[in-house]
């Protein structure tokens, strides 16, 4: 079984599980939609512009996060309810993990595209622009959440997942920034080695 097939089997298995009796059907659709958009994009570009294995792995991890959040709603993922209980927190922080990935994964993909298409040379500027793109994506996602809330009213409460926290939007973008920085600090060198193999 090749790696692409394994990736697809994992993706579809989690998607099917996620779609079976989710907590809220509308919230499930909103949360899983980005993963459903990513799948055909990766399929259509797999021959002409294949990504590094590292990028595919983290894209899959983020898609799984979205599907788990969609199934339970982000405010009610059981593991994070348990973590909140033992830490004495009054909120389920699964959404913060999602926003951390929302900074981490786009930074990795943006860096890969920038380097491979010679948009900017690898190094400080490449890393900075990758981080900026991830933050822009995070801010745009917060705008989407706001627009959905305006259009659907109370139906979007589970999608917003603010849990009564007035600084939720800002902290979401802050977590995306942290994720982007972690990506660049921990993976840049390993990413470069995978890019070299892909080009070689």
């Amino acid at each position: 079984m090749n790696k692409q097939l394994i990736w697809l089997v994992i993706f579809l298995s989690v998607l099917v599980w996620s779609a079976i009796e989710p907590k809220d059907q509308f919230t499930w659709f909103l949360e899983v939609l980005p993963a459903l958009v990513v799948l055909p994009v990766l399929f259509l570009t797999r021959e002409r512009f294949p990504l590094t294995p590292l990028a595919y792995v983290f894209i899959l991890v983020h898609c799984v996060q979205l599907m788990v959040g969609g199934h339970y709603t982000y405010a009610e993922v059981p593991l994070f309810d348990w973590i909140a209980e033992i830490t004495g927190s009054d909120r389920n922080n699964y959404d913060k993990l999602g926003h951390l990935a929302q900074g981490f994964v786009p930074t990795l993909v943006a860096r890969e595209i920038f380097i491979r298409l010679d948009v900017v040379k690898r190094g400080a500027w490449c890393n900075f622009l990758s981080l900026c793109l991830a933050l822009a994506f995070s801010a745009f996602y917060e705008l989407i959440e706001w627009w959905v809330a305006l259009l659907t009213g109370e139906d979007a409460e589970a999608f917003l997942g603010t849990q009564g926290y007035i600084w939720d939007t800002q902290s979401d973008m802050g977590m995306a920034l942290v994720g982007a920085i972690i990506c660049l600090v921990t993976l840049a060198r390993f990413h470069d080695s995978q890019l070299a193999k892909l080009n070689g």
Side-chain angles (χ1 to χ4, degrees), residues 174-187:
M175 289 303 291
L177 174 61
V178 171
I181 292 169
I182 290 172
C183 173
L184 294 170
V185 170
T186 62
L187 289 182

Side-chain angles (χ1 to χ4, degrees), residues 128-182:
F128 174 71
L129 291 174
S130 300
L131 185 148
C132 287
L133 191 141
L135 276 178
F137 178 77
S138 176
F140 182 63
Y141 197 82
E142 295 299 324
L143 289 174
I144 291 172
E145 288 184 346
W146 174 47
W147 295 332
V148 168
L150 289 176
L151 291 171
T152 61
E154 291 182 7
D155 289 342
E157 187 175 339
F159 177 55
L160 288 170
T162 58
Q163 301 177 66
Y165 181 42
I166 61 168
W167 303 113
D168 187 69
T169 298
Q170 293 83 355
S171 65
D172 286 349
M173 289 187 286
M175 289 303 291
L177 174 61
V178 171
I181 292 169
I182 290 172

Side-chain angles (χ1 to χ4, degrees), residues 10-163:
I10 294 171
F11 182 100
L12 293 176
S13 298
V14 179
L15 179 63
V16 169
W17 164 82
S18 177
I20 297 171
E21 297 183 4
K23 175 87 175 178
D24 180 84
Q25 196 71 47
F26 180 64
T27 302
W28 176 86
F29 174 73
L30 293 174
E31 299 293 6
V32 173
L33 184 60
L36 297 177
V37 170
V38 161
L39 183 62
V41 170
L42 293 181
F43 178 78
L44 293 172
T45 59
R46 73 192 189 287
E47 300 291 342
R48 191 183 49 192
F49 197 83
L51 300 174
T52 56
L54 187 67
Y56 282 125
V57 165
F58 280 107
I59 289 170
L60 178 61
V61 168
H62 191 33
C63 287
V64 168
Q65 284 181 321
L66 293 170
M67 292 179 224
V68 170
H71 182 79
Y72 294 109
T73 77
Y74 271 66
E76 298 183 41
V77 174
L79 174 62
F80 281 74
D81 275 343
W82 176 75
I83 292 171
E85 191 175 313
I86 64 170
T87 59
S89 174
D90 59 352
R91 80 186 308 273
N92 182 309
N93 282 306
Y94 184 77
D95 68 316
K96 298 310 175 199
L97 181 65
H99 285 283
L100 188 80
Q102 193 183 68
F104 191 104
V105 178
T107 298
L108 184 68
V109 174
R111 185 177 189 274
E112 183 156 329
I113 292 170
F114 287 162
I115 291 170
R116 290 177 60 192
L117 296 182
D118 292 322
V119 176
V120 62
K121 292 180 181 178
R122 75 186 70 211
W125 275 109
C126 180
N127 292 341
F128 174 71
L129 291 174
S130 300
L131 185 148
C132 287
L133 191 141
L135 276 178
F137 178 77
S138 176
F140 182 63
Y141 197 82
E142 295 299 324
L143 289 174
I144 291 172
E145 288 184 346
W146 174 47
W147 295 332
V148 168
L150 289 176
L151 291 171
T152 61
E154 291 182 7
D155 289 342
E157 187 175 339
F159 177 55
L160 288 170
T162 58
Q163 301 177 66

